[in-house]
């Protein structure tokens, strides 16, 4: 069997979505009302007085993008840790094992399921919420304003009109992929409450690394640069190029991202063994 075949991949993708459609419907039915309430609370749509009818609420909508980005990030790190949510028991693992597809095809399908599909559902939810809030405000006597238009304007001003737009966007995407890969990897390792355990591990690890990095930096400067009464009197002064630091960080993030996805793939393959001895945490 070839490691990847587009027809098998498409058939596996259809099976995956049909097998998990109830979870997708449940996710969307929870997400859309939360976003609608958030939009209403931000614009004051639930408590504006009749004297405010002539006032435009478009400025209030500009407070929403930051909240939506935060909600988007929380949703997708939690969803990423559920890559093996439907493989908790032996029968579910047998169903996955018996699929006429390679392990790579199954893993890529699951990666799409926890990455791209939630993005699509999140955007559809925003469009529906935008239509509902516009209808609600129109019924209250306001001139309807578009939340999607506000989001587009924020993205345009934040990236297209910025000097470091594409570099910043690329770095943020890489950083997001690294975080996503950590949740995917540990989601395959921990069977229960994986996103909580992963969040705790990431918090402790980043806090520890930040502390030691700051200590090493202080130690480096204290041993190599000497001052007296605020004047430099000796020692070696090293100037590190900012581009070198950025390049190193990018290489490290790329390497660890690939490593995490590779480990997740290996763990996923191991989980399909029917009589596996892998422990449940």
């Amino acid at each position: 069997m070839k490691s990847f075949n587009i027809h098998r991949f498409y058939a596996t993708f259809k099976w995956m979505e049909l097998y998990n459609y109830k979870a997708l419907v449940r996710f969307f039915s929870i997400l859309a009302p939360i976003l609608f309430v958030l939009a209403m609370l931000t614009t004051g749509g639930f408590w504006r007085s009749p004297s405010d009818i002539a006032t435009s609420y478009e400025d209030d909508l500009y407070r929403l993008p930051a909240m939506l980005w935060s909600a988007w990030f929380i949703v997708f790190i939690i969803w990423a840790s559920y890559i093996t949510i439907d493989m908790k028991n032996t029968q579910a693992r047998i169903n996955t094992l018996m699929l006429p597809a390679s392990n790579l095809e199954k893993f890529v399908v699951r990666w799409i399921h926890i990455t791209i599909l939630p993005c699509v559902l999140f955007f559809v939810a925003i469009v529906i919420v935008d239509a509902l809030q516009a209808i609600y405000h129109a019924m209250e006597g306001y001139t309807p304003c578009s939340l999607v238009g506000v989001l587009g304007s924020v993205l345009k001003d934040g990236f297209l009109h910025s000097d470091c737009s594409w570099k910043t966007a690329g770095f943020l995407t890489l950083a997001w992929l690294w975080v996503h890969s950590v949740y995917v990897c540990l989601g395959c390792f921990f069977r229960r409450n994986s996103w909580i355990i992963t969040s705790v591990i990431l918090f402790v690890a980043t806090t520890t690394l930040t502390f030691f990095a700051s200590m090493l930096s202080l130690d480096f400067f204290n041993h190599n640069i000497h001052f007296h009464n605020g004047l430099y009197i000796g020692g070696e002064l090293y100037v590190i190029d900012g581009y070198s630091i950025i390049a190193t960080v990018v290489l490290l993030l790329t390497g660890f991202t690939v490593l995490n996805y590779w480990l997740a793939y290996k763990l996923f393959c191991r989980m399909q063994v029917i009589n596996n001895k892998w422990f449940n945490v």
Side-chain angles (χ1 to χ4, degrees), residues 40-151:
M40 291 294 99
L41 292 176
T42 303
T43 60
F46 290 143
W47 61 75
R48 282 182 184 268
S49 62
S51 60
D52 296 329
I53 292 296
T55 304
S56 173
Y57 62 93
E58 184 175 7
D59 293 338
D60 296 329
L61 287 178
Y62 278 91
R63 295 200 296 265
L64 264 177
M67 300 181 186
L68 291 178
W69 287 126
S70 300
W72 175 83
F73 183 77
I74 293 172
V75 164
F76 292 115
I77 62 174
I78 294 176
W79 197 275
S81 63
Y82 289 157
I83 185 171
T84 58
I85 190 65
D86 58 343
M87 295 175 61
K88 287 186 175 181
N89 54 59
T90 301
Q91 184 58 51
R93 291 195 294 271
I94 292 175
N95 293 338
T96 304
L97 179 64
M98 297 304 292
L99 286 175
S102 65
N103 289 332
L104 180 61
E105 292 163 350
K106 298 173 189 176
F107 184 78
V108 173
V109 163
R110 287 177 178 273
W111 188 89
I112 293 175
H113 178 76
I114 63 171
T115 307
I116 298 178
L117 196 62
C119 290
V120 175
L121 292 179
F122 199 90
F123 179 75
V124 172
I126 289 177
V127 172
I128 293 177
V129 167
D130 190 19
L132 291 177
Q133 66 86 18
I135 294 173
Y136 176 87
H137 284 97
M139 293 174 61
E140 291 293 322
Y142 294 91
T143 301
C145 301
S146 173
L147 173 59
V148 176
V150 169
L151 290 175

